[in-house]
Amino acid sequence: MPPSAPSDRIHDMAGHILIVDDDVIFRTLAAELLASQGFDVFDEAADGLAALAAVAGRCPDGILLDISLPGPDGFTLAPSLAAACPDAKIVLISAGIDHVPAEVLQTCAATAFLPKQELVIADLGALLGA
């Protein structure tokens, strides 16, 4: 079998997740929760520019993306992240919104929406798994 070409995705057993949220406390708690469920935190970013820098040249399996960010919001940022990492599952999150219509998710290239309050009880493997 011929060797395969190098990939820009990181591969091993754990799903690698990028957390994009301007609240450092939330990022810390989300990282701990993800680690407890067998995920690896690929990187953390506080805004859109940092998120795009984090995916330059390498892609996570999944992205937790806050809707309310300084600068471009999550709806605006998601298509750029999807273009950079087309195989990554993008899950929009918010503390202030409890529903995002499917057509809005599709328009901004997100896979799903999850209220932050439901992060602890959500099936993160199904939402973010590779």
Side-chain angles (χ1 to χ4, degrees), residues 43-67:
D43 207 344
E44 296 179 19
D47 60 32
L49 289 176
L52 291 171
V55 299
R58 59 191 186 122
C59 289
D61 298 307
I63 301 170
L64 275 181
L65 177 59
D66 189 21
I67 291 173

Side-chain angles (χ1 to χ4, degrees), residues 4-96:
S4 59
S7 173
D8 63 349
R9 289 176 52 88
I10 300 171
H11 291 283
D12 63 35
M13 296 299 285
H16 300 281
I17 309 302
L18 170 63
I19 302 169
V20 185
D21 196 293
D22 58 327
D23 182 342
V24 67
I25 294 171
F26 176 81
R27 289 196 315 266
T28 301
L29 293 172
E32 290 173 1
L33 177 65
L34 288 165
S36 76
Q37 294 191 19
F39 290 95
D40 174 58
V41 176
F42 167 87
D43 207 344
E44 296 179 19
D47 60 32
L49 289 176
L52 291 171
V55 299
R58 59 191 186 122
C59 289
D61 298 307
I63 301 170
L64 275 181
L65 177 59
D66 189 21
I67 291 173
S68 300
L69 292 171
D73 65 21
F75 294 119
T76 304
L77 181 59
S80 297
L81 291 170
C85 298
D87 294 330
K89 292 184 177 181
I90 299 173
V91 176
L92 293 174
I93 56 175
S94 177

Side-chain angles (χ1 to χ4, degrees), residues 62-130:
I63 301 170
L64 275 181
L65 177 59
D66 189 21
I67 291 173
S68 300
L69 292 171
D73 65 21
F75 294 119
T76 304
L77 181 59
S80 297
L81 291 170
C85 298
D87 294 330
K89 292 184 177 181
I90 299 173
V91 176
L92 293 174
I93 56 175
S94 177
I97 298 173
D98 60 4
H99 176 74
V100 173
E103 46 288 350
V104 173
L105 293 175
Q106 185 176 14
T107 299
C108 71
T111 307
F113 168 77
L114 183 66
K116 286 183 181 180
Q117 306 86 294
E118 296 180 17
L119 193 63
V120 173
I121 60 170
D123 183 352
L124 297 177
L127 290 173
L128 295 167

